[in-house]
Amino acid sequence: MQKRQLGKSGFKVSEVGLGCWQLGADWGQDLSKETSFNILDEAFKNGITFFDTADVYGNGKSETLIGEFLKTIKTPIKVATKFGRSSDVYPDSYTKALLRKSIEDSIERLGVKSLDLLQLHCIPTQYLIEGDIFDWLRELKAEGLIKHFGASVETVEEALICLEQEGLLSLQVIFNIFRQKLVTELFPKAQEKGVGIIVRLPLASGLLTGKFNKDTTFPENDHRNYNKNGDAFNVGETFAGLPFQEGIEIVETIKTSILPSDLNMVQLALRWLLDHDAVSSIIPGASSGKHVISNAQTSNLEVLSPQVHSALIELYKTEIHDKIRGGY
């Protein structure tokens, strides 16, 4: 597993991390504690040293499971968590007192003395603009409750607002083959500021695994069902904002026209992300230890050829860009 620096003032992270939303079982299939521990253990064994979670994933369940796992290992794991989407604060009740309480609760669940990285969790744009919440983060960092802070955002506009804040370590963004404008509109500015990039939804809710077809359906409580058109939250969080059927057609085009013969779709999608030097870590989720192992191995794949990169850029321009829905 290769390592990268998270921001100029941050710490080393595995370039493939682990997204831990699924450990909270907020949607889709509920994972048993045994399965969750297997996922975390396989991640650790395969060199993944960066876990990403949030206080609202399972109402603290994901953090609690990670905290229990951390007690079983001796090598440190960096854990990033989030604040801002719980029902007591979202969408318009942000206070320093509630931020402090959330941080203290996360510290207790994770069993640590302070948080490695606390990220704002897709909070409304107006609060990013006003900026008071960043003052609170700087104060709580000075107190030692958090070591670093960053922001998880929905749009390039929000990311650029956050980049103006002193002390911002990282931005967590939706970035994948379907959402390429960040390469030119955000990444150069983030690199100039020394801010790390954490990539969520690297496989576009599984669409870029290549395992779905036009007849694939999802359970009623799966966001790939109830949020496919953005009815519950930002549509970009589901299939990167693409209509499912059109996404299937684009994946088929990639399979038949662009995918190298020695790679599968997951390897192509993840390696493409890692070929961007602005990216610090990608955080695919996993529903089994087998998925974790496969994702981790991407770190050691060869860089994609210039021809593959050019073909994917052209596909984005001609077939994808105009189909993306929602703020981006």
Side-chain angles (χ1 to χ4, degrees), residues 115-240:
L115 299 180
D116 295 317
L117 173 62
L118 189 280
Q119 305 161 100
L120 299 178
H121 196 176
C122 300
I123 69 173
T125 309
Q126 69 184 81
Y127 294 101
L128 300 177
I129 295 172
E130 290 170 3
D132 291 346
I133 199 164
F134 291 103
D135 291 333
W136 304 338
L137 287 168
R138 283 185 279 265
E139 290 172 21
L140 294 169
K141 179 183 177 183
E143 290 182 28
L145 287 176
I146 59 176
K147 296 172 184 171
H148 301 279
F149 63 86
S152 179
V153 297
E154 300 280 7
T155 67
V156 168
E157 175 194 7
E158 291 174 345
L160 294 176
I161 292 168
C162 293
L163 280 180
E164 297 304 312
Q165 290 293 335
E166 184 69 29
L168 186 84
L169 179 70
S170 61
L171 288 167
Q172 186 177 133
V173 297
I174 302 173
F175 178 51
N176 52 54
I177 287 171
F178 296 145
R179 294 168 76 94
Q180 296 187 31
K181 80 173 188 177
L182 283 73
V183 175
T184 55
E185 295 188 15
L186 174 62
F187 288 178
K189 294 180 176 65
Q191 287 181 294
E192 181 183 341
K193 294 277 188 177
V195 172
I197 297 291
I198 300 167
V199 174
R200 72 178 187 277
L201 287 172
L203 297 173
S205 308
L207 190 53
L208 283 167
T209 65
K211 296 177 181 178
F212 302 155
N213 59 52
K214 63 180 181 179
D215 297 319
T216 301
T217 59
F218 302 96
E220 185 176 344
N221 68 336
D222 192 313
H223 76 100
R224 292 173 292 187
N225 181 355
Y226 66 77
N227 194 60
K228 61 185 177 183
N229 293 313
D231 295 329
F233 41 83
N234 189 303
V235 69
E237 299 283 356
T238 303
F239 303 130

